[in-house]
């Protein structure tokens, strides 16, 4: 089984590369892809760079060039749901694009004709995640993740995203990866650990907690692999 593990930033995949230690590096279209083997699973690891366009390119490459059969995304997010604190984990049950706006033509926010408003994560991967959370004794919130090409550091924007999409967390790549995986019929899963609360202090909080939260998410992802072997 070939499994892709992707992040958006170097910091999000660094704990994975440190864990696997030995890997091959292959460059494609301006990104590095790391291949390795873990307990019989073939892994392809990469970070895309920030945002929906780069994330789509990386997800497509992992599937179409490297033959990934499942895709796990690991990284950090800003919390909307007040239950989520720094370092807490959220797994997306579904994802949407909060920055898509063709409401001028009567479409709901986030909707593109012939696309979907919400893209649902793979149910089997969600079940595996729940098992891992219970084994680790770690709370795991299941919820909606909203994606957009904006670092949100503003209460008004954050509240609008929360209200409009009933979103629990926000980030900048998940939904674009979901669109690619849905189109190419590859089961996917998006896991994020909270780095900030998308308010006026978000930038400082992100810088402070990016590495520690990324590590939490990566650790959980590795435990998921243990259940997939
Ligand atoms: N990823 C982590 N925090 C974020 C935020 N506040 N906005 C967008 N993406 C994020």
């Amino acid at each position: 089984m070939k499994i892709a593990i992707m992040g958006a930033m170097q910091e999000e995949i660094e704990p994975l590369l440190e864990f696997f230690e030995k890997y091959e590096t292959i460059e494609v279209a301006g990104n590095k892809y790391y291949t390795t083997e873990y307990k019989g699973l073939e892994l392809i690891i990469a970070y895309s760079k920030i945002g929906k366009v780069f994330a789509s390119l990386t997800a497509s490459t992992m599937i179409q060039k490297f033959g990934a059969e499942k895709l796990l995304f690991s990284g950090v997010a800003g919390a909307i749901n007040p239950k989520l604190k720094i370092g807490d984990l959220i797994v997306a049950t579904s994802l949407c694009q909060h920055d898509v706006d063709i409401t001028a033509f009567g479409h709901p926010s986030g909707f593109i004709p012939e696309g979907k408003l919400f893209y649902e994560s793979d149910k089997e991967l969600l079940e595996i995640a729940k098992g891992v959370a219970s084994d680790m004794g770690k709370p795991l919130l299941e919820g909606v993740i909203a994606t957009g090409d904006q670092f949100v550091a503003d209460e008004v924007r954050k509240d609008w995203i929360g209200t409009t999409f009933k979103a629990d967390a926000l980030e900048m790549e998940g939904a674009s990866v979901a669109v690619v995986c849905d189109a190419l019929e590859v089961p996917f899963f998006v896991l994020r650990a909270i780095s900030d609360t998308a308010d006026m202090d978000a930038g400082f909080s992100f810088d402070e907690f990016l590495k520690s939260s990324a590590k939490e998410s990566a650790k959980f992802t590795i435990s998921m692999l243990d259940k997939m072997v």
Side-chain angles (χ1 to χ4, degrees):
M1 162 95 64
K2 275 196 184 179
I3 299 178
I5 311 176
M6 86 175 261
M9 301 173 72
Q10 173 80 42
E11 289 86 345
E12 290 172 325
I13 67 157
E14 199 58 56
L16 298 166
L17 297 180
E18 274 171 20
F19 177 82
F20 295 117
E21 285 178 359
K22 283 196 181 137
Y23 43 81
E24 229 187 280
T25 306
I26 303 160
E27 277 206 46
V28 181
N31 283 99
K32 286 195 174 80
Y33 293 82
Y34 306 95
T35 60
T36 190
E37 214 187 275
Y38 180 64
K39 298 183 179 175
L41 298 171
E42 286 180 76
L43 303 181
I44 309 135
I45 302 165
Y47 76 92
S48 57
K49 301 189 279 280
I50 294 166
K52 295 195 295 179
V53 173
F54 284 126
S56 304
L57 173 63
T58 297
S60 309
T61 303
M62 287 173 133
I63 296 165
Q64 296 192 304
K65 184 160 178 70
F66 289 93
E69 295 163 274
K70 289 184 198 289
L71 190 149
L72 311 179
F73 192 105
S74 171
V76 302
I80 301 176
N81 186 328
K83 281 189 204 144
L84 288 169
K85 308 293 178 216
I86 303 293
D88 285 355
L89 291 167
I90 173 167
V91 59
T93 48
S94 66
L95 302 104
C96 61
Q97 299 184 69
H98 69 71
D99 59 347
V100 164
D101 185 350
I102 45 173
T103 54
F105 298 94
H107 297 295
S109 293
F111 181 73
I112 295 174
E114 297 181 55
K116 298 175 188 169
L117 185 46
F118 291 98
Y119 286 82
E120 289 187 8
S121 302
D122 181 63
K123 300 271 185 303
E124 243 174 67
L125 290 172
L126 283 179
E127 282 309 309
I128 294 172
K130 281 194 244 178
V132 168
S134 134
D135 289 354
M136 289 172 94
K138 241 193 156 334
L140 175 69
L141 189 98
E142 294 169 57
V144 175
I145 293 184
T147 301
D149 280 325
Q150 301 165 349
F151 183 84
V152 178
D154 171 33
E155 290 278 359
V156 174
R157 179 74 191 159
K158 163 183 158 172
D159 290 346
W160 181 84
I161 294 167
T163 308
T164 307
F165 302 101
K166 294 195 172 37
D168 297 289
L170 53 85
E171 36 83 311
M172 301 180 68
E173 296 82 19
S176 60
V177 171
V179 171
V180 169
C181 290
D182 183 72
L184 299 175
E185 297 179 351
V186 167
F188 71 92
F189 160 91
V190 177
L191 177 76
R192 299 276 189 170
I194 299 303
S195 58
D196 60 85
T197 49
D199 55 11
M200 59 185 283
D201 297 324
F204 301 105
S205 180
F206 181 89
D207 282 344
E208 189 174 349
F209 296 110
L210 165 63
K211 278 195 180 164
S212 56
S213 294
K215 215 178 253 180
E216 285 298 317
S217 182
K219 225 167 51 184
F220 191 97
T221 304
I222 292 165
S223 299
M224 291 223 11
L225 295 177
D226 286 326
K227 283 218 186 278
M228 292 166 76
V229 293

